[in-house]
Amino acid sequence: MTKDVEELLSRGVSEIIDKENLKKKLSSGKKLRVKLGIDPTSPNIHIGRAIPLWKLRAFQDLGHEVVFIVGDFTALIGDTSDKETERPMLQEEEVKSNMKTYLDQAFKILDPAKTETHYNSEWLSKLGFIEIGKMANLFGLHEFESREVIARRLKEGKRIALQEVLYPIMQGYDSVAIKADVELGGTDQRFNLLAGRTIQPLYNQESQDILTTELIEGTDGRKMSSSWGNVINITDEPNNMFGKVMSIKDELIPKYFELCTRVPLSEIDKITSEHPKEAKMRLAFEIT
């Protein structure tokens, strides 16, 4: 493997399924269709959500076909993969408002001339009960219940809506619609990404490989989330963005360098060995 491919498969990567299969495909010279979807549950894409976007850009730079999907339909249903409570369904007008600049924001990272874009309402709004039933038959309720967050909510007697069970099926069908070879997402998306692998053979497609990227903590030390307001948005004004980065905990500096910048890994150790204030100023400059 080339150095670029080695970094692609390691930098900020939590897990790859099936790693050997993906390495074989990358070594073959085949152009892969690599997919990333983001639901417009808020108006801004923060740098935590940008981590898989940067990974998508890395595939793009290696000559692969990248597909960016704005989940306008899935946003209406709501993904509760990382939520301790049921996520309220959004209204169509709210989703439309949120996603107005999503492509423009994504194109701060992706090359627009080389990016295939879709809104998943293109195909999900046309699915009927028979089609949904065929896909749902591939999954057992026990598989859904075994997820850590869901298991905890059940134990605590919290409500689990049936729409939450359907969400992974819809995200999985996105992979069918665009014939994905690889899907990217954060570690909290693991179950949803695996759903695509399960559904694709039903449509005579080879199961996609999946690559999960690590999650990043926000300005308050908790997982970066628009719901908590601890985010650094990629559309923030430069002074505001710089100040937010300077406010993060010192121990997060190396992780931020690896996940949120393109600074070569060989340089990060040297930079982070400096005084934390100097290292953080360099970090803030790179992100801004």
Side-chain angles (χ1 to χ4, degrees):
M1 289 193 302
T2 66
K3 186 178 179 182
D4 287 341
V5 172
E6 287 179 359
E7 184 165 320
L8 175 76
L9 300 180
S10 60
R11 182 169 184 163
V13 173
S14 175
E15 183 180 21
I16 299 174
I17 304 173
D18 173 354
K19 187 172 184 177
E20 290 308 311
N21 188 50
L22 181 54
K23 285 167 68 174
K24 185 178 177 181
K25 286 178 181 175
L26 290 169
S27 299
S28 73
K30 176 187 176 183
K31 275 194 174 183
L32 303 178
R33 287 179 61 75
V34 188
K35 163 202 172 192
L36 172 67
I38 298 182
D39 286 356
T41 52
S42 65
N44 300 305
I45 297 175
H46 57 68
I47 65 170
R49 282 182 150 189
I51 293 169
L53 262 176
W54 278 114
K55 190 62 67 176
L56 193 63
R57 176 60 190 251
F59 274 99
Q60 190 171 60
D61 289 343
L62 289 173
H64 299 287
E65 299 174 356
V66 305
V67 185
F68 179 67
I69 298 173
V70 178
D72 61 329
F73 193 92
T74 38
L76 293 172
I77 306 302
D79 180 17
T80 51
S81 295
D82 62 337
K83 302 298 179 188
E84 295 294 337
T85 57
E86 183 182 350
R87 185 196 288 271
M89 290 183 70
L90 297 179
Q91 299 299 313
E92 284 190 46
E93 288 308 311
E94 187 176 358
V95 171
K96 285 179 181 177
S97 175
N98 285 347
M99 70 182 188
K100 279 180 181 177
T101 64
Y102 258 52
L103 292 182
D104 290 337
Q105 291 180 62
F107 291 153
K108 287 180 174 290
I109 295 171
L110 302 175
D111 182 343
K114 299 178 181 177
T115 305
E116 182 180 326
T117 60
H118 295 279
Y119 295 92
N120 63 11
S121 59
E122 292 173 30
W123 48 79
L124 291 179
S125 62
K126 299 172 185 176
L127 288 180
F129 273 112
I130 292 177
E131 202 76 16
I132 294 168
K134 285 179 181 177
M135 290 187 282
N137 192 48
L138 299 171
F139 301 90
L141 189 58
H142 68 286
E143 295 168 297
F144 182 79
E145 291 176 342
S146 67
R147 300 163 70 184
E148 184 181 349
V149 173
I150 300 300
R152 187 161 59 244
R153 286 170 58 191
L154 284 170
K155 188 176 180 180
E156 293 170 358
K158 293 179 179 177
R159 183 176 185 268
I160 307 292
L162 285 178
Q163 72 188 44
E164 298 179 63
V165 182
L166 294 175
Y167 187 94
I169 295 172
M170 290 186 286
Q171 182 170 326
Y173 189 78
D174 286 352
S175 295
V176 172
I178 62 101
K179 297 180 171 62
D181 294 308
V182 185
E183 183 172 10
L184 311 179
T187 54
D188 55 348
Q189 289 291 304
R190 189 178 190 274
F191 188 89
N192 297 338
L193 302 174
L194 286 170
R197 281 178 62 84
T198 301
I199 292 170
Q200 282 177 303
L202 181 66
Y203 294 89
N204 299 312
Q205 294 181 20
E206 182 182 346
S207 292
Q208 65 185 9
D209 294 314
I210 66 173
L211 184 154
T212 60
T213 52
E214 295 177 19
L215 304 179
I216 196 77
E217 290 83 354
T219 52
D220 62 0
R222 296 182 294 174
K223 176 199 161 188
M224 190 173 288
S225 169
S226 298
S227 303
W228 289 331
N230 61 352
V231 296
I232 302 170
N233 294 313
I234 63 176
T235 54
D236 283 342
E237 290 297 320
N239 286 343
N240 190 19
M241 184 180 289
F242 196 95
K244 285 182 179 180
V245 178
M246 292 299 292
S247 75
I248 68 168
K249 295 179 179 179
D250 290 352
E251 57 265 31
L252 291 175
I253 295 173
K255 188 174 184 181
Y256 262 70
F257 263 112
E258 181 179 354
L259 300 182
C260 304
T261 78
R262 299 300 92 197
V263 174
L265 293 173
S266 58
E267 290 184 31
I268 293 176
D269 285 341
K270 182 181 177 182
I271 295 169
T272 54
S273 66
E274 299 171 359
H275 188 279
K277 184 179 179 182
E278 298 299 322
K280 200 182 287 184
M281 286 185 71
R282 171 70 186 277
L283 174 65
F285 170 78
E286 293 290 342
I287 289 176
T288 304

